[in-house]
Amino acid sequence: MSNNLKQTNILLCGSSRVGKSTLINAICQEKLAKSNASLNSLTRKVDRYSYEYSNGPTTHETVIWDTPGIESWNENEVRNYMASLIEQTQPLCMIYCASPGSFAVFDHVAWLVEACYRKNLFCALVCTNMWAGRNRQEIINEFCRLLNSVHPNIAPNKEDNIIYYDKVALVTMVNSQEYTDKDFDVTKPPSGVEELIFGIAKSLNRDLMFAWFRSVAQNTSFWTKMSSKLSNLLKIPTETLNSLYGHAASFIDSLFDLYGLSGDFNTPITHNRPSFTTTDTVNSH
């Protein structure tokens, strides 16, 4: 890898046709290039999506590893596959998607979550296409049920329609693009994506948080809509944050300068174990 190429990796999981690519497009706000990838010791195909943007002599690449559906796998296959994939790609987080009306085996999702936890990898469990069916709350409840089972010592707390499990996982629902039901003359605007981006950011350690910010650097709606919350998260006055904001890439570099970070995230990622201290418990049902 070139010294001038900085790469960030993200795992994307879930069965097909649940809106994974739509969600990633909404998060990154970039055109993604797709390629099939073969990783050492992985016999199953992994779709590789990526996009790059350049800032001066440095090119920043975000790679999304889209895993195949795991619904027919056994427990050992799921655990071994995820452990190997995490080891090879060193992702900063895993995003799992399920949508109303889609087929999801939640025991398999629990195996995914447990495999990520063993590798200290943060998980975002997302109900996508939230208006496409009536059972969106059932999906949220199932996500919470499995996280309560995997992490019985963590009391969840809810903020801005996101349920946080300390620094381990979150649960939320999103509408990545405008939803229209012509039969009932109903239109729902995109919602929840910027909050999801922020929720992942606040759950990561500092270095991973800024690597995540690199990946969403071109999402101007995130930086403008969430400016107040970002100000509180980064402990930067809103006026200073707004004065820095111009072009997203240079804006991110300015934040790096403020925090004394190099922006080099090609080295193996180390994830912090959570402290297991939370407040404002919620009932997932």
Side-chain angles (χ1 to χ4, degrees):
M1 181 176 291
S2 168
N3 289 334
N4 290 328
L5 178 63
K6 311 299 183 183
Q7 181 175 306
T8 300
N9 296 289
I10 300 165
L11 293 189
L12 183 64
C13 301
S15 59
S16 59
R17 296 181 294 277
V18 296
K20 291 187 292 182
S21 60
T22 305
L23 174 61
I24 286 298
N25 287 332
I27 288 174
C28 299
Q29 292 292 309
E30 285 287 332
K31 183 177 180 180
L32 302 176
K34 178 182 178 181
S35 61
N36 292 333
S38 296
L39 296 174
N40 295 334
S41 79
L42 291 181
T43 58
R44 301 177 190 269
K45 183 190 74 171
V46 181
D47 288 331
R48 183 186 190 274
Y49 296 88
S50 64
Y51 75 90
E52 297 179 352
Y53 73 89
S54 297
N55 184 36
T58 302
T59 297
H60 305 280
E61 180 183 37
T62 294
V63 179
I64 293 93
W65 301 94
D66 185 2
T67 67
I70 62 169
E71 289 76 19
S72 63
W73 300 9
N74 63 39
E75 183 173 355
N76 285 336
E77 287 176 326
V78 173
R79 294 184 186 278
N80 292 337
Y81 179 86
M82 287 302 295
S84 181
L85 185 59
I86 293 169
E87 187 68 27
Q88 292 185 63
T89 61
Q90 293 292 308
L92 62 84
C93 69
M94 185 274 283
I95 301 174
Y96 181 87
C97 300
S99 67
S102 67
F103 178 70
V105 181
F106 287 99
D107 285 345
H108 289 57
V109 183
W111 300 337
L112 273 181
V113 170
E114 288 171 354
C116 291
Y117 182 64
R118 288 193 176 97
K119 294 292 186 178
N120 296 330
L121 181 65
F122 181 80
C123 299
L125 307 184
V126 183
C127 174
T128 50
N129 302 329
M130 57 184 285
W131 300 113
R134 296 181 177 180
N135 65 327
R136 55 187 174 274
Q137 190 57 49
E138 294 176 15
I139 294 175
I140 295 298
N141 291 343
E142 284 295 329
F143 281 157
C144 291
R145 180 191 63 78
L146 75 85
L147 285 175
N148 291 335
S149 175
V150 174
H151 306 298
N153 296 323
I154 301 179
N157 70 287
K158 188 172 183 178
E159 179 184 337
D160 294 331
N161 295 317
I162 295 180
I163 302 170
Y164 293 94
Y165 284 75
D166 201 36
K167 302 295 185 179
V168 174
L170 65 76
V171 174
T172 192
M173 62 177 73
V174 302
N175 189 39
S176 302
Q177 61 184 5
E178 184 178 84
Y179 171 79
T180 301
D181 188 326
K182 294 182 179 178
D183 292 335
F184 293 95
D185 193 25
V186 172
T187 299
K188 298 289 187 180
S191 62
V193 175
E194 290 85 2
E195 290 80 2
L196 170 62
I197 296 171
F198 180 81
I200 292 175
K202 69 178 288 188
S203 301
L204 300 174
N205 67 33
R206 187 189 69 165
D207 288 348
L208 295 184
M209 177 180 68
F210 276 91
W212 176 244
F213 283 159
R214 278 284 192 213
S215 295
V216 301
Q218 307 303 305
N219 190 332
T220 54
S221 64
F222 164 70
W223 294 104
T224 53
K225 180 178 179 180
M226 306 304 291
S227 60
S228 177
K229 287 185 174 296
L230 286 165
S231 174
N232 292 331
L233 176 66
L234 299 172
K235 296 179 171 52
I236 298 174
T238 303
E239 295 78 8
T240 302
L241 194 65
N242 290 336
S243 68
L244 289 174
Y245 185 79
H247 184 268
S250 60
F251 170 61
I252 295 294
D253 287 335
S254 298
L255 289 180
F256 272 60
D257 291 340
L258 282 177
Y259 278 79
L261 298 175
S262 66
D264 186 354
F265 298 110
N266 293 324
T267 55
I269 288 174
T270 301
H271 298 264
N272 291 340
R273 277 289 187 192
S275 61
F276 297 140
T277 56
T278 55
T279 58
D280 301 329
T281 61
V282 299
N283 187 338
S284 63
H285 298 279

